[in-house]
Amino acid sequence: MPQSESNVRLRSARHAAGYRSQQELATALGVGVRQVRRWESENPPWPHPDLQQALTELLGQEMESLGFTPPAGRDSRPDPVRRSLVGATVVAAGLAAVPMQSAAAMQPASVAADFEAVTRSHRRLYWSVAPATLHPAAVAHAALGCALLTETAGQTRRTVAAALAESYLLAGRIEFFDLRNGDQAGRTFLLALQAAGQADDSLLGSAILAHCAFIPAWTGDRDAAVERMVAARTYARRGPASAALLAWLDAVEAECETRCGNTRTALHLIGHAEDTLAAGTEHATPPWLDWFTAVRLAAFKGNTQLTAGHLPQARTTLLGVLDDMPATEDKQRTVVYGDLAAVEAAAGDPEQACEYARQALDQLGITWYAMGMDRVREVRRSLAPHQHEQCVRDLDERLYGWSTTVSALAR
């Protein structure tokens, strides 16, 4: 139908919401495509109340803004109870409620891809950019995403919400793993989970919930950690989840159990994760799951073997991790050096322990990672019986240099 004889407002709103064809909108509404054609005609019929509600929720605009004219004597304003429920579906605490918009306020569908592209860039930058530098950028980007949620609808809005959830997840990861601020990370992970709910992305929700489990595990609260892992696995079952995601959930739970002193359970979980990765699935791994590989799983295993007192096995595992680790894994390398130092300290070889600790400090001087520094400090505490030996004193000179001490206190 020529543009001059069609409902341009509805067609524009459909495109802005990410429904490129009339069939896509019809499928989302559960109606036939002929019905959508009628609505996009020159004189669209007034929809049934249920379809009015569905249209305004999917496209984010009032009926008159969508090009519809109510029949004589019919109130075009939405039911106040329904409207309050629609407005309440959007999260609070940073994600402002999304009101129905006028046609002029809606962003084009391309805004979703543009916002998503920046999120992807931040994901890659995490592995090389200093956390204190990247964190403000990720938080500011998330604030933009919150604003875009009020100006998008339908598929466009879901895409923005998913990218927003990933941005908040990245910010929370930096807060917990790099800046060691568990309280702030917990609040940020909550925002990430709320945004994932807006996107209806259960796999991303699973990843966020598993990250939430780290926080109580680090304080020895096993019950809270287990509860969050149960929730994470529930979301993963809504999937379909890839082998990598399922194996990572095992690895996270193993880390939590290790922190709570249950190394036998942790090693069983790691074995299950190894089997899961080996078996694989036909489901693709989400692109945001870039923090987990078979090498990372081996690093988890080496740390658990160390904690369990299986020193020869831990040494073998961790040396294999160093051999297999890609050159880009700077942050994880500091953790592995720290764990190897702990192995040698426990084995009664302070000289070798200090050598690995110095290598960890060398790497930390290039790429800061709070988890890596935590490992070095734990090793130094374990070397207290040898603190008068020259190798330990040399380590102290490195550990308590001006730049290292200031960086540690600043964080």
Side-chain angles (χ1 to χ4, degrees):
M1 186 170 292
Q3 182 173 339
S4 59
E5 298 180 0
S6 65
N7 183 354
V8 177
R9 290 186 177 183
L10 179 58
R11 188 174 67 249
S12 297
R14 168 169 61 80
H15 284 293
Y19 301 106
R20 294 168 295 179
S21 68
Q22 293 176 334
Q23 182 61 63
E24 288 182 358
L25 179 59
T27 300
L29 291 168
V31 300
V33 69
R34 291 182 61 186
Q35 181 65 71
V36 177
R37 291 196 192 106
R38 293 177 64 204
W39 289 335
E40 292 194 6
S41 66
E42 181 180 10
N43 296 305
W46 187 248
H48 186 274
D50 289 344
L51 291 175
Q52 291 179 46
Q53 177 177 344
L55 278 167
T56 54
E57 289 179 0
L58 279 178
L59 305 182
Q61 300 183 35
E62 304 282 10
M63 293 301 294
E64 290 184 345
S65 296
L66 294 173
F68 292 96
T69 302
R74 187 76 63 86
D75 189 353
S76 65
R77 293 174 297 178
D79 177 76
V81 174
R82 180 188 63 79
R83 180 165 185 170
S84 67
L85 291 174
V86 172
T89 60
V90 185
V91 297
L95 305 187
V98 176
M100 288 179 282
Q101 303 290 319
S102 65
M106 297 299 289
Q107 293 285 345
S110 60
V111 74
D114 294 337
F115 182 78
E116 194 176 33
V118 177
T119 300
R120 286 197 304 270
S121 296
H122 285 168
R123 182 200 308 156
R124 294 190 294 267
L125 289 170
Y126 173 75
W127 302 109
S128 59
V129 174
T133 301
L134 182 58
H135 183 260
V139 172
H141 184 59
L144 172 61
C146 291
L148 291 177
L149 282 185
T150 69
E151 300 173 1
T152 52
Q155 293 180 358
T156 301
R157 185 169 177 276
R158 285 195 293 274
T159 301
V160 170
L164 174 60
E166 188 183 334
S167 290
Y168 273 131
L169 175 57
L170 174 63
R173 283 169 54 80
I174 294 173
E175 290 158 1
F176 184 76
F177 294 113
D178 298 88
L179 304 180
R180 305 305 288 128
N181 190 336
D183 291 339
Q184 180 60 46
R187 292 189 290 270
T188 303
F189 288 149
L190 176 59
L191 294 175
L193 187 62
Q194 291 171 326
Q198 293 299 302
D200 195 22
D201 190 327
S202 60
L203 295 183
L204 193 50
S206 175
I208 295 164
L209 284 163
H211 276 89
C212 290
F214 282 126
I215 299 174
W218 249 246
T219 62
D221 186 351
R222 182 178 181 274
D223 289 343
V226 168
E227 182 179 19
R228 296 176 185 194
M229 285 307 305
V230 169
R233 292 185 185 279
T234 300
Y235 275 69
R237 286 196 295 271
R238 298 169 185 168
S242 67
L245 179 59
L246 294 174
W248 175 71
L249 292 177
D250 282 337
V252 172
E253 190 166 356
E255 177 90 354
C256 294
E257 293 288 0
T258 299
R259 289 278 170 173
C260 296
N262 302 316
T263 54
R264 179 177 295 183
T265 301
L267 287 170
H268 174 76
L269 285 163
I270 290 173
H272 187 265
E274 291 172 330
D275 293 342
T276 299
L277 279 182
T281 68
E282 70 276 15
H283 306 305
T285 299
W288 42 258
L289 187 60
D290 62 346
W291 59 75
F292 183 72
T293 62
V295 175
R296 289 294 188 92
L297 177 59
F300 275 108
K301 182 177 183 177
N303 177 258
T304 300
Q305 290 171 328
L306 164 64
T307 305
H310 304 166
L311 301 184
Q313 297 92 326
R315 183 185 293 113
T316 299
T317 300
L318 292 168
L319 288 173
V321 170
L322 281 183
D323 289 339
D324 296 338
M325 185 176 289
T328 55
E329 294 277 1
D330 291 341
K331 292 183 176 181
Q332 188 63 28
R333 189 172 289 104
T334 65
V335 172
V336 176
Y337 279 136
D339 282 345
L340 279 167
V343 168
E344 301 306 335
D349 189 346
E351 187 75 37
Q352 189 59 52
C354 289
E355 176 57 30
Y356 281 128
R358 284 194 293 269
Q359 292 183 64
L361 289 172
D362 288 342
Q363 188 63 61
L364 286 166
I366 300 171
T367 305
W368 175 260
Y369 192 40
M371 298 290 288
M373 179 55 81
D374 287 349
R375 294 290 214 272
V376 175
R377 293 190 180 282
E378 288 171 7
V379 168
R380 176 59 187 87
R381 285 191 287 271
S382 72
L383 290 171
H386 307 278
Q387 62 187 11
H388 297 300
E389 296 187 29
Q390 189 60 46
C391 61
V392 178
R393 290 185 174 185
D394 290 342
L395 176 61
D396 288 344
E397 287 298 320
R398 288 290 312 280
L399 186 58
Y400 299 112
W402 284 110
S403 59
T404 309
T405 304
V406 169
S407 296
L409 291 177
R411 292 170 174 83

